[in-house]
Amino acid sequence: PLPGRAAARRGSWALPAALVRRGGLVGGRWVETAAAFPVQDPASGEELGRVADCGPAEAREAVRAAHQAGAAWGRLPAKERSLRLRRWYELMVENKEELARIITAENGKPLKEAQGEVLYSASFLEWFAEEARRVYGDVIPASAKDRRILVLKQPVGVAAVITPWNFPSAMITRKVGAALAAGCTVVVKPAEDTPLSALALGELANQAGIPAGVYNVVPCSRQQTPAVGEVLCTDPLVAKISFTGSTATGKILLKHAAGTVKRVSMELGGHAPFIVFDSANVDRAVAGALASKYRNSGQTCVCTNRFLVQKGIHDQFVEKFAKAIERELHVGSGFDPKTTQGPLINEKAVEKVERHIKDALSQGASVVTGGKRHSLGRNFFEPTLLRNVTTKMLCTQEETFGPLAPVIKFDTEAEAVAIANAANVGLAGYFYSQDPAQIWRVAEQLEVGMVGVNEGIVSSVESPFGGVKQSGLGREGSKYGIDEYLEIKYVCFGGL
């Protein structure tokens, strides 16, 4: 756990020693490595501690441990797997405050948001604990009298799970809950910015009676990440890759996985449009816009990246949105109860927001509110609203991943749908309208995997999460999520 001095200096923010682990988790054991890498608090830049820097050797060892544990775990009755997942869920809820403190310390998001993430994360373990007992096969009527056709569903095997920093707990349980429920074992490679959450989940998995080797974690530095990723995507003992992250990285992993024809699911970049039609309830649209755009300081893959507002209500929407931003958003440390906007994850993220704003202003956009770094520190940025934005600007062509809301004015429904669909990605999309015919038309025409109609937050465990086009492959959560970890086996029973 943490050096005592750093913990003391953090006072009431001290990380919970009982859940802070620094080693990798391989085959149920905590393993140290020759080198360690620092994990930093993005709010202060302070080092939270150093974590084992696993390399290809540890990754291969974790894959072997998962493979060896797989036969016994896959043969356990579904009810038994369900009970272990349920116990893991209960431990997460019991340790909600401690897990949330770890998320806020390493990710920066406000403590209230971190607590929400912990409960959301835990709910995936609860959901898939229940789904484990509903993996049903089939009996198909045969064309011949002397045979029967059976369909079995069986676990694919070892799953390599590669997760991002923006939801350091939920992105793990959404994948791992489904994998373990199906009877698979996993090797998790968490983001280098936020490994402590993955390791804390490992500690609770051990306490929950998840057998050794079923849940493995190999944290590593940015320098080791390409080599570890390559091992996980090429090792013949790995049957499945599940990745959440950028489209560019996803394409690299797909190429690696092709060599051994692995099952792959990917949740990649988004570029979500948020359309406000003249018929919308403007106040509800503003509330939805605030929730969608500024949660986690705009660092979510489903957060709005482009606002399209119809000319009849454009000025009214922009004015009300600006007032809501200034009234309701407070920038600060995630541990301050007043904070709604924590720091961005690192300086590179801040520089991208600055680059997008500078480009937009150079092409005629204007700042309504915000627009610059916050005085609190180098990773803090003011919640920003731009108007007079066009589709030629960088902020409407790339995902910003920060607290920037650019507003484009449009004339017709067809124009808005065309702008929204012009992207090569399609994860989430949102629109506000009170015209039933328009709602059906636009919901069906938007080229995205998830649509929020008069709603700015769409994620839930019961719903299938995923995108179309270059936003990925497969779905997570919901009754569909477990299918990603199951093979269909046809058994022809003859000679009857």
PDB file of all heavy atoms in Angstrom, residues 367-395:
ATOM      1  N   VAL A 367     -16.745  32.310 -28.292  1.00  0.00           N
ATOM      2  CA  VAL A 367     -16.917  31.715 -26.962  1.00  0.00           C
ATOM      3  C   VAL A 367     -18.107  32.362 -26.269  1.00  0.00           C
ATOM      4  O   VAL A 367     -18.172  33.593 -26.154  1.00  0.00           O
ATOM      5  CB  VAL A 367     -15.640  31.910 -26.106  1.00  0.00           C
ATOM      6  CG1 VAL A 367     -15.870  31.429 -24.676  1.00  0.00           C
ATOM      7  CG2 VAL A 367     -14.453  31.193 -26.727  1.00  0.00           C
ATOM      8  N   VAL A 368     -19.049  31.547 -25.804  1.00  0.00           N
ATOM      9  CA  VAL A 368     -20.176  32.065 -25.030  1.00  0.00           C
ATOM     10  C   VAL A 368     -19.816  32.064 -23.551  1.00  0.00           C
ATOM     11  O   VAL A 368     -20.087  33.015 -22.826  1.00  0.00           O
ATOM     12  CB  VAL A 368     -21.448  31.209 -25.261  1.00  0.00           C
ATOM     13  CG1 VAL A 368     -22.639  31.802 -24.508  1.00  0.00           C
ATOM     14  CG2 VAL A 368     -21.758  31.091 -26.751  1.00  0.00           C
ATOM     15  N   THR A 369     -19.179  30.984 -23.097  1.00  0.00           N
ATOM     16  CA  THR A 369     -18.688  30.914 -21.712  1.00  0.00           C
ATOM     17  C   THR A 369     -17.493  29.975 -21.672  1.00  0.00           C
ATOM     18  O   THR A 369     -17.384  29.076 -22.510  1.00  0.00           O
ATOM     19  CB  THR A 369     -19.784  30.451 -20.738  1.00  0.00           C
ATOM     20  OG1 THR A 369     -19.303  30.549 -19.391  1.00  0.00           O
ATOM     21  CG2 THR A 369     -20.235  29.020 -20.990  1.00  0.00           C
ATOM     22  N   GLY A 370     -16.583  30.197 -20.708  1.00  0.00           N
ATOM     23  CA  GLY A 370     -15.396  29.350 -20.571  1.00  0.00           C
ATOM     24  C   GLY A 370     -14.338  29.689 -21.599  1.00  0.00           C
ATOM     25  O   GLY A 370     -14.111  30.857 -21.919  1.00  0.00           O
ATOM     26  N   GLY A 371     -13.641  28.652 -22.105  1.00  0.00           N
ATOM     27  CA  GLY A 371     -12.697  28.866 -23.192  1.00  0.00           C
ATOM     28  C   GLY A 371     -11.231  28.749 -22.851  1.00  0.00           C
ATOM     29  O   GLY A 371     -10.390  28.830 -23.734  1.00  0.00           O
ATOM     30  N   LYS A 372     -10.910  28.563 -21.553  1.00  0.00           N
ATOM     31  CA  LYS A 372      -9.474  28.514 -21.222  1.00  0.00           C
ATOM     32  C   LYS A 372      -9.214  27.594 -20.019  1.00  0.00           C
ATOM     33  O   LYS A 372     -10.153  27.127 -19.367  1.00  0.00           O
ATOM     34  CB  LYS A 372      -8.946  29.921 -20.925  1.00  0.00           C
ATOM     35  CG  LYS A 372      -9.638  30.640 -19.786  1.00  0.00           C
ATOM     36  CD  LYS A 372      -9.163  32.080 -19.688  1.00  0.00           C
ATOM     37  CE  LYS A 372      -9.694  32.756 -18.424  1.00  0.00           C
ATOM     38  NZ  LYS A 372     -11.173  32.829 -18.380  1.00  0.00           N
ATOM     39  N   ARG A 373      -7.916  27.378 -19.754  1.00  0.00           N
ATOM     40  CA  ARG A 373      -7.552  26.575 -18.584  1.00  0.00           C
ATOM     41  C   ARG A 373      -8.064  27.252 -17.321  1.00  0.00           C
ATOM     42  O   ARG A 373      -8.130  28.478 -17.249  1.00  0.00           O
ATOM     43  CB  ARG A 373      -6.032  26.415 -18.477  1.00  0.00           C
ATOM     44  CG  ARG A 373      -5.454  25.564 -19.578  1.00  0.00           C
ATOM     45  CD  ARG A 373      -4.023  25.173 -19.293  1.00  0.00           C
ATOM     46  NE  ARG A 373      -3.423  24.583 -20.488  1.00  0.00           N
ATOM     47  CZ  ARG A 373      -2.495  23.631 -20.464  1.00  0.00           C
ATOM     48  NH1 ARG A 373      -2.058  23.160 -19.303  1.00  0.00           N
ATOM     49  NH2 ARG A 373      -1.998  23.142 -21.574  1.00  0.00           N
ATOM     50  N   HIS A 374      -8.391  26.438 -16.324  1.00  0.00           N
ATOM     51  CA  HIS A 374      -8.873  26.981 -15.054  1.00  0.00           C
ATOM     52  C   HIS A 374      -7.683  27.308 -14.169  1.00  0.00           C
ATOM     53  O   HIS A 374      -6.642  26.650 -14.230  1.00  0.00           O
ATOM     54  CB  HIS A 374      -9.784  25.940 -14.376  1.00  0.00           C
ATOM     55  CG  HIS A 374     -10.630  26.505 -13.294  1.00  0.00           C
ATOM     56  ND1 HIS A 374     -10.162  26.719 -12.019  1.00  0.00           N
ATOM     57  CD2 HIS A 374     -11.921  26.908 -13.292  1.00  0.00           C
ATOM     58  CE1 HIS A 374     -11.132  27.220 -11.280  1.00  0.00           C
ATOM     59  NE2 HIS A 374     -12.219  27.343 -12.027  1.00  0.00           N
ATOM     60  N   SER A 375      -7.843  28.308 -13.319  1.00  0.00           N
ATOM     61  CA  SER A 375      -6.739  28.755 -12.461  1.00  0.00           C
ATOM     62  C   SER A 375      -6.320  27.705 -11.429  1.00  0.00           C
ATOM     63  O   SER A 375      -5.251  27.826 -10.827  1.00  0.00           O
ATOM     64  CB  SER A 375      -7.147  30.036 -11.729  1.00  0.00           C
ATOM     65  OG  SER A 375      -8.356  29.808 -11.009  1.00  0.00           O
ATOM     66  N   LEU A 376      -7.127  26.661 -11.225  1.00  0.00           N
ATOM     67  CA  LEU A 376      -6.822  25.657 -10.191  1.00  0.00           C
ATOM     68  C   LEU A 376      -5.560  24.853 -10.471  1.00  0.00           C
ATOM     69  O   LEU A 376      -4.916  24.385  -9.543  1.00  0.00           O
ATOM     70  CB  LEU A 376      -7.989  24.680 -10.056  1.00  0.00           C
ATOM     71  CG  LEU A 376      -9.066  25.042  -9.042  1.00  0.00           C
ATOM     72  CD1 LEU A 376     -10.217  24.058  -9.139  1.00  0.00           C
ATOM     73  CD2 LEU A 376      -8.502  25.059  -7.625  1.00  0.00           C
ATOM     74  N   GLY A 377      -5.234  24.651 -11.736  1.00  0.00           N
ATOM     75  CA  GLY A 377      -4.050  23.843 -12.038  1.00  0.00           C
ATOM     76  C   GLY A 377      -4.017  23.424 -13.482  1.00  0.00           C
ATOM     77  O   GLY A 377      -4.974  23.624 -14.229  1.00  0.00           O
ATOM     78  N   ARG A 378      -2.929  22.799 -13.881  1.00  0.00           N
ATOM     79  CA  ARG A 378      -2.672  22.566 -15.305  1.00  0.00           C
ATOM     80  C   ARG A 378      -3.656  21.588 -15.940  1.00  0.00           C
ATOM     81  O   ARG A 378      -3.851  21.630 -17.160  1.00  0.00           O
ATOM     82  CB  ARG A 378      -1.238  22.075 -15.507  1.00  0.00           C
ATOM     83  CG  ARG A 378      -0.975  20.713 -14.902  1.00  0.00           C
ATOM     84  CD  ARG A 378       0.461  20.277 -15.101  1.00  0.00           C
ATOM     85  NE  ARG A 378       0.613  18.890 -14.644  1.00  0.00           N
ATOM     86  CZ  ARG A 378       1.755  18.237 -14.659  1.00  0.00           C
ATOM     87  NH1 ARG A 378       2.839  18.813 -15.106  1.00  0.00           N
ATOM     88  NH2 ARG A 378       1.818  17.003 -14.232  1.00  0.00           N
ATOM     89  N   ASN A 379      -4.271  20.679 -15.171  1.00  0.00           N
ATOM     90  CA  ASN A 379      -5.190  19.709 -15.769  1.00  0.00           C
ATOM     91  C   ASN A 379      -6.655  20.128 -15.688  1.00  0.00           C
ATOM     92  O   ASN A 379      -7.543  19.374 -16.077  1.00  0.00           O
ATOM     93  CB  ASN A 379      -5.025  18.329 -15.109  1.00  0.00           C
ATOM     94  CG  ASN A 379      -3.700  17.671 -15.482  1.00  0.00           C
ATOM     95  OD1 ASN A 379      -3.051  18.096 -16.433  1.00  0.00           O
ATOM     96  ND2 ASN A 379      -3.307  16.666 -14.738  1.00  0.00           N
ATOM     97  N   PHE A 380      -6.908  21.323 -15.165  1.00  0.00           N
ATOM     98  CA  PHE A 380      -8.288  21.800 -15.028  1.00  0.00           C
ATOM     99  C   PHE A 380      -8.642  22.725 -16.196  1.00  0.00           C
ATOM    100  O   PHE A 380      -7.840  23.563 -16.596  1.00  0.00           O
ATOM    101  CB  PHE A 380      -8.469  22.550 -13.711  1.00  0.00           C
ATOM    102  CG  PHE A 380      -8.389  21.660 -12.502  1.00  0.00           C
ATOM    103  CD1 PHE A 380      -7.187  21.447 -11.847  1.00  0.00           C
ATOM    104  CD2 PHE A 380      -9.527  21.029 -12.012  1.00  0.00           C
ATOM    105  CE1 PHE A 380      -7.117  20.625 -10.722  1.00  0.00           C
ATOM    106  CE2 PHE A 380      -9.465  20.202 -10.893  1.00  0.00           C
ATOM    107  CZ  PHE A 380      -8.261  20.009 -10.253  1.00  0.00           C
ATOM    108  N   PHE A 381      -9.864  22.571 -16.701  1.00  0.00           N
ATOM    109  CA  PHE A 381     -10.287  23.396 -17.826  1.00  0.00           C
ATOM    110  C   PHE A 381     -11.707  23.886 -17.588  1.00  0.00           C
ATOM    111  O   PHE A 381     -12.552  23.159 -17.063  1.00  0.00           O
ATOM    112  CB  PHE A 381     -10.229  22.605 -19.150  1.00  0.00           C
ATOM    113  CG  PHE A 381     -10.087  23.482 -20.355  1.00  0.00           C
ATOM    114  CD1 PHE A 381      -8.843  23.825 -20.837  1.00  0.00           C
ATOM    115  CD2 PHE A 381     -11.211  24.008 -20.994  1.00  0.00           C
ATOM    116  CE1 PHE A 381      -8.703  24.663 -21.939  1.00  0.00           C
ATOM    117  CE2 PHE A 381     -11.094  24.840 -22.087  1.00  0.00           C
ATOM    118  CZ  PHE A 381      -9.817  25.179 -22.566  1.00  0.00           C
ATOM    119  N   GLU A 382     -11.966  25.127 -17.976  1.00  0.00           N
ATOM    120  CA  GLU A 382     -13.298  25.691 -17.786  1.00  0.00           C
ATOM    121  C   GLU A 382     -14.318  24.999 -18.690  1.00  0.00           C
ATOM    122  O   GLU A 382     -14.039  24.761 -19.872  1.00  0.00           O
ATOM    123  CB  GLU A 382     -13.287  27.187 -18.130  1.00  0.00           C
ATOM    124  CG  GLU A 382     -12.429  28.030 -17.215  1.00  0.00           C
ATOM    125  CD  GLU A 382     -12.355  29.489 -17.662  1.00  0.00           C
ATOM    126  OE1 GLU A 382     -12.776  29.798 -18.804  1.00  0.00           O
ATOM    127  OE2 GLU A 382     -11.866  30.305 -16.867  1.00  0.00           O
ATOM    128  N   PRO A 383     -15.515  24.683 -18.182  1.00  0.00           N
ATOM    129  CA  PRO A 383     -16.580  24.192 -19.062  1.00  0.00           C
ATOM    130  C   PRO A 383     -16.863  25.251 -20.121  1.00  0.00           C
ATOM    131  O   PRO A 383     -17.071  26.426 -19.801  1.00  0.00           O
ATOM    132  CB  PRO A 383     -17.777  24.026 -18.124  1.00  0.00           C
ATOM    133  CG  PRO A 383     -17.193  23.965 -16.751  1.00  0.00           C
ATOM    134  CD  PRO A 383     -15.949  24.793 -16.784  1.00  0.00           C
ATOM    135  N   THR A 384     -16.821  24.863 -21.389  1.00  0.00           N
ATOM    136  CA  THR A 384     -16.810  25.828 -22.495  1.00  0.00           C
ATOM    137  C   THR A 384     -17.984  25.600 -23.443  1.00  0.00           C
ATOM    138  O   THR A 384     -18.320  24.462 -23.769  1.00  0.00           O
ATOM    139  CB  THR A 384     -15.473  25.707 -23.260  1.00  0.00           C
ATOM    140  OG1 THR A 384     -14.401  25.980 -22.347  1.00  0.00           O
ATOM    141  CG2 THR A 384     -15.409  26.670 -24.435  1.00  0.00           C
ATOM    142  N   LEU A 385     -18.570  26.720 -23.891  1.00  0.00           N
ATOM    143  CA  LEU A 385     -19.643  26.680 -24.876  1.00  0.00           C
ATOM    144  C   LEU A 385     -19.256  27.584 -26.044  1.00  0.00           C
ATOM    145  O   LEU A 385     -18.897  28.756 -25.831  1.00  0.00           O
ATOM    146  CB  LEU A 385     -20.957  27.165 -24.237  1.00  0.00           C
ATOM    147  CG  LEU A 385     -22.190  27.271 -25.140  1.00  0.00           C
ATOM    148  CD1 LEU A 385     -22.564  25.917 -25.725  1.00  0.00           C
ATOM    149  CD2 LEU A 385     -23.377  27.846 -24.345  1.00  0.00           C
ATOM    150  N   LEU A 386     -19.310  27.045 -27.277  1.00  0.00           N
ATOM    151  CA  LEU A 386     -19.005  27.823 -28.482  1.00  0.00           C
ATOM    152  C   LEU A 386     -20.249  27.935 -29.358  1.00  0.00           C
ATOM    153  O   LEU A 386     -21.020  26.982 -29.471  1.00  0.00           O
ATOM    154  CB  LEU A 386     -17.902  27.145 -29.312  1.00  0.00           C
ATOM    155  CG  LEU A 386     -16.529  26.924 -28.687  1.00  0.00           C
ATOM    156  CD1 LEU A 386     -15.601  26.273 -29.723  1.00  0.00           C
ATOM    157  CD2 LEU A 386     -15.924  28.218 -28.178  1.00  0.00           C
ATOM    158  N   ARG A 387     -20.420  29.089 -30.009  1.00  0.00           N
ATOM    159  CA  ARG A 387     -21.489  29.234 -31.010  1.00  0.00           C
ATOM    160  C   ARG A 387     -20.866  29.622 -32.348  1.00  0.00           C
ATOM    161  O   ARG A 387     -19.655  29.811 -32.439  1.00  0.00           O
ATOM    162  CB  ARG A 387     -22.525  30.269 -30.553  1.00  0.00           C
ATOM    163  CG  ARG A 387     -21.998  31.695 -30.436  1.00  0.00           C
ATOM    164  CD  ARG A 387     -23.064  32.613 -29.834  1.00  0.00           C
ATOM    165  NE  ARG A 387     -24.262  32.658 -30.674  1.00  0.00           N
ATOM    166  CZ  ARG A 387     -25.446  33.130 -30.262  1.00  0.00           C
ATOM    167  NH1 ARG A 387     -25.590  33.565 -29.020  1.00  0.00           N
ATOM    168  NH2 ARG A 387     -26.472  33.171 -31.079  1.00  0.00           N
ATOM    169  N   ASN A 388     -21.697  29.725 -33.385  1.00  0.00           N
ATOM    170  CA  ASN A 388     -21.211  30.012 -34.747  1.00  0.00           C
ATOM    171  C   ASN A 388     -20.219  28.954 -35.227  1.00  0.00           C
ATOM    172  O   ASN A 388     -19.236  29.246 -35.903  1.00  0.00           O
ATOM    173  CB  ASN A 388     -20.557  31.413 -34.831  1.00  0.00           C
ATOM    174  CG  ASN A 388     -21.492  32.507 -34.369  1.00  0.00           C
ATOM    175  OD1 ASN A 388     -22.702  32.431 -34.597  1.00  0.00           O
ATOM    176  ND2 ASN A 388     -20.959  33.510 -33.698  1.00  0.00           N
ATOM    177  N   VAL A 389     -20.494  27.721 -34.851  1.00  0.00           N
ATOM    178  CA  VAL A 389     -19.611  26.610 -35.211  1.00  0.00           C
ATOM    179  C   VAL A 389     -20.056  26.022 -36.556  1.00  0.00           C
ATOM    180  O   VAL A 389     -21.251  26.002 -36.860  1.00  0.00           O
ATOM    181  CB  VAL A 389     -19.646  25.534 -34.105  1.00  0.00           C
ATOM    182  CG1 VAL A 389     -18.884  24.277 -34.517  1.00  0.00           C
ATOM    183  CG2 VAL A 389     -19.065  26.099 -32.805  1.00  0.00           C
ATOM    184  N   THR A 390     -19.086  25.574 -37.359  1.00  0.00           N
ATOM    185  CA  THR A 390     -19.404  24.937 -38.649  1.00  0.00           C
ATOM    186  C   THR A 390     -18.835  23.519 -38.684  1.00  0.00           C
ATOM    187  O   THR A 390     -17.992  23.152 -37.854  1.00  0.00           O
ATOM    188  CB  THR A 390     -18.801  25.717 -39.823  1.00  0.00           C
ATOM    189  OG1 THR A 390     -17.364  25.552 -39.795  1.00  0.00           O
ATOM    190  CG2 THR A 390     -19.147  27.204 -39.749  1.00  0.00           C
ATOM    191  N   THR A 391     -19.258  22.761 -39.675  1.00  0.00           N
ATOM    192  CA  THR A 391     -18.791  21.372 -39.806  1.00  0.00           C
ATOM    193  C   THR A 391     -17.359  21.283 -40.317  1.00  0.00           C
ATOM    194  O   THR A 391     -16.793  20.192 -40.392  1.00  0.00           O
ATOM    195  CB  THR A 391     -19.707  20.585 -40.763  1.00  0.00           C
ATOM    196  OG1 THR A 391     -19.759  21.274 -42.015  1.00  0.00           O
ATOM    197  CG2 THR A 391     -21.105  20.456 -40.208  1.00  0.00           C
ATOM    198  N   LYS A 392     -16.757  22.428 -40.650  1.00  0.00           N
ATOM    199  CA  LYS A 392     -15.357  22.408 -41.124  1.00  0.00           C
ATOM    200  C   LYS A 392     -14.371  22.451 -39.954  1.00  0.00           C
ATOM    201  O   LYS A 392     -13.168  22.300 -40.151  1.00  0.00           O
ATOM    202  CB  LYS A 392     -15.106  23.602 -42.058  1.00  0.00           C
ATOM    203  CG  LYS A 392     -15.847  23.495 -43.392  1.00  0.00           C
ATOM    204  CD  LYS A 392     -15.404  24.609 -44.342  1.00  0.00           C
ATOM    205  CE  LYS A 392     -15.951  24.396 -45.745  1.00  0.00           C
ATOM    206  NZ  LYS A 392     -17.421  24.438 -45.802  1.00  0.00           N
ATOM    207  N   MET A 393     -14.873  22.711 -38.750  1.00  0.00           N
ATOM    208  CA  MET A 393     -13.977  22.888 -37.595  1.00  0.00           C
ATOM    209  C   MET A 393     -13.588  21.543 -36.994  1.00  0.00           C
ATOM    210  O   MET A 393     -14.359  20.590 -37.017  1.00  0.00           O
ATOM    211  CB  MET A 393     -14.661  23.782 -36.558  1.00  0.00           C
ATOM    212  CG  MET A 393     -14.923  25.183 -37.084  1.00  0.00           C
ATOM    213  SD  MET A 393     -15.939  26.182 -35.955  1.00  0.00           S
ATOM    214  CE  MET A 393     -16.154  27.671 -36.972  1.00  0.00           C
ATOM    215  N   LEU A 394     -12.365  21.488 -36.440  1.00  0.00           N
ATOM    216  CA  LEU A 394     -11.838  20.248 -35.861  1.00  0.00           C
ATOM    217  C   LEU A 394     -12.764  19.655 -34.815  1.00  0.00           C
ATOM    218  O   LEU A 394     -12.943  18.437 -34.737  1.00  0.00           O
ATOM    219  CB  LEU A 394     -10.482  20.537 -35.183  1.00  0.00           C
ATOM    220  CG  LEU A 394      -9.195  20.240 -35.951  1.00  0.00           C
ATOM    221  CD1 LEU A 394      -8.000  20.520 -35.054  1.00  0.00           C
ATOM    222  CD2 LEU A 394      -9.162  18.794 -36.432  1.00  0.00           C
ATOM    223  N   CYS A 395     -13.367  20.528 -33.983  1.00  0.00           N
ATOM    224  CA  CYS A 395     -14.180  20.037 -32.867  1.00  0.00           C
ATOM    225  C   CYS A 395     -15.441  19.327 -33.343  1.00  0.00           C
ATOM    226  O   CYS A 395     -16.089  18.616 -32.571  1.00  0.00           O
ATOM    227  CB  CYS A 395     -14.529  21.170 -31.900  1.00  0.00           C
ATOM    228  SG  CYS A 395     -15.494  22.496 -32.658  1.00  0.00           S
TER     229      CYS A 395
END
